Amino acid sequence: MLNQILGWLRHGMNTCTSALLTAQLLKRAEPVLSVSQVPVVVVAPHEDDETFGCGGLIALKRQLGVPVTVVFVSDGGGGYQEGTTAPPDIVAVREKEALEATGVLGVPVEHVQFLHYPDTRLGKLDEVDRRRLVSTLTECFNQHAQLEVYVTHQRDLHPDHEATCRAVMEAVSRSSSQVRLFEYPIWIRWMGKFHRNLQWSDFPGLIKVSIAPVHATKLRAIQAYTSQIGMLGRAHLRCYEQVWEIFVERPRPHQP
Ligand SMILES: [Zn+2]
């Protein structure tokens, strides 16, 4: 009973802080990102992050005919209700949902990659697997002379999201492509910057993009994630349903 009450309190607090944070982020996010003809790679730790964080941007780029590749790093095998047993087909279900969502956003199936690293363990990969991941990402980035790369925020309050960001930063630093690097907040949006001492200095180069022309498309893509949206709940999903998307542009990292 105590756990249930604590859960409700946490949920209530997150509902308030996430709305407040969204308002603050939007106020601070200037200027507006113009959607260019530069090809895009979106790197998502899990099957849903790409749509929640960048679904509108992806759809806008695709409307212009710009190539968009989506790379899913983990197999999504951890995406089930805490305290329950994993459904045996969870990986296949999430892959199917991801193909449906990215299809709604206009990404051809041949531009969607599943790397199948173990969900919830991306921050604990051994050195061989970690290097393999960085090298796969580097190869992917090298397909274009000029590129925009989008990845989850480096302090996104989820070990998989933060590990994915680190791998992408290393791959960008090794890539021969001319890359603009953007991070999209996911768990930060829900948990709020008031957790784990996040500071405004963690959000330099805030930039926003209006997704109004494709807003309905993004909402439709979110609905493809049937296995996840019931679990996350309305208040959480509302963080990703705005007509603006928010990014942090980072300077290109140097080769380690
Ligand atoms: Zn995720």
Side-chain angles (χ1 to χ4, degrees):
M1 187 61 185
L2 180 64
N3 276 350
Q4 203 172 13
I5 293 169
L6 286 175
W8 287 334
L9 284 174
R10 209 175 304 123
H11 188 272
M13 194 174 83
N14 284 347
T15 303
C16 298
T17 55
S18 65
L20 184 64
L21 177 64
T22 293
Q24 287 178 315
L25 282 170
L26 284 173
K27 199 167 157 208
R28 286 168 180 258
E30 296 290 348
V32 173
L33 176 69
S34 65
V35 180
S36 71
Q37 290 285 340
V38 177
V40 166
V41 174
V42 175
V43 185
H46 309 109
E47 292 74 3
D48 65 11
D49 293 317
E50 80 304 335
T51 297
F52 292 168
C54 319
L57 178 98
I58 293 171
L60 287 170
K61 286 273 189 179
R62 290 303 301 136
Q63 266 192 351
L64 295 175
V66 178
V68 174
T69 301
V70 180
V71 181
F72 293 103
V73 179
S74 88
D75 62 11
Y80 57 95
Q81 194 74 49
E82 219 178 332
T84 65
T85 319
D89 58 347
I90 182 70
V91 170
V93 166
R94 295 197 73 183
E95 207 163 299
K96 187 168 165 279
E97 290 172 348
L99 288 173
E100 189 184 333
T102 50
V104 168
L105 299 173
V107 182
V109 64
E110 62 272 21
H111 287 181
V112 181
Q113 293 180 33
F114 296 95
L115 303 186
H116 293 131
Y117 285 87
D119 193 357
T120 71
R121 299 197 50 81
L122 300 184
K124 294 174 184 163
L125 295 180
D126 65 33
E127 192 51 19
V128 173
D129 282 344
R130 201 194 63 79
R131 281 185 192 204
R132 187 161 55 87
L133 171 59
V134 170
S135 127
T136 303
L137 292 169
T138 309
E139 252 173 63
C140 174
F141 300 160
N142 286 348
Q143 302 300 310
H144 299 278
Q146 213 189 345
L147 191 63
E148 290 173 10
V149 173
Y150 294 79
V151 65
T152 39
H153 190 278
Q154 58 184 253
R155 297 195 66 199
D156 203 35
L157 305 171
H158 187 304
D160 282 353
H161 288 209
E162 297 178 3
T164 299
C165 185
R166 287 194 296 275
V168 163
M169 285 173 84
E170 189 172 339
V172 167
S173 77
R174 295 179 189 279
S175 169
S176 56
S177 172
Q178 197 189 321
V179 175
R180 274 182 89 182
L181 178 61
F182 297 91
E183 296 172 8
Y184 55 92
I186 295 289
W187 281 98
I188 289 172
R189 299 288 300 274
W190 173 233
M191 308 273 284
K193 89 173 187 70
F194 312 102
H195 294 255
R196 225 181 65 177
N197 299 322
L198 282 166
Q199 305 295 325
W200 282 115
S201 55
D202 292 308
F203 303 88
L206 264 178
I207 197 163
K208 62 187 173 188
V209 59
S210 166
I211 61 160
V214 293
H215 189 230
T217 307
K218 174 171 179 174
L219 297 186
R220 212 151 30 89
I222 289 176
Q223 290 307 311
Y225 284 109
T226 318
S227 72
Q228 303 301 301
I229 55 180
M231 201 164 55
L232 295 171
R234 281 303 314 141
H236 186 155
L237 285 176
R238 221 170 283 132
C239 303
Y240 316 121
E241 292 176 347
Q242 314 285 320
V243 290
W244 294 93
E245 284 178 348
I246 299 166
F247 304 101
V248 170
E249 182 168 11
R250 298 282 178 189
R252 185 186 171 121
H254 297 295
Q255 192 156 348

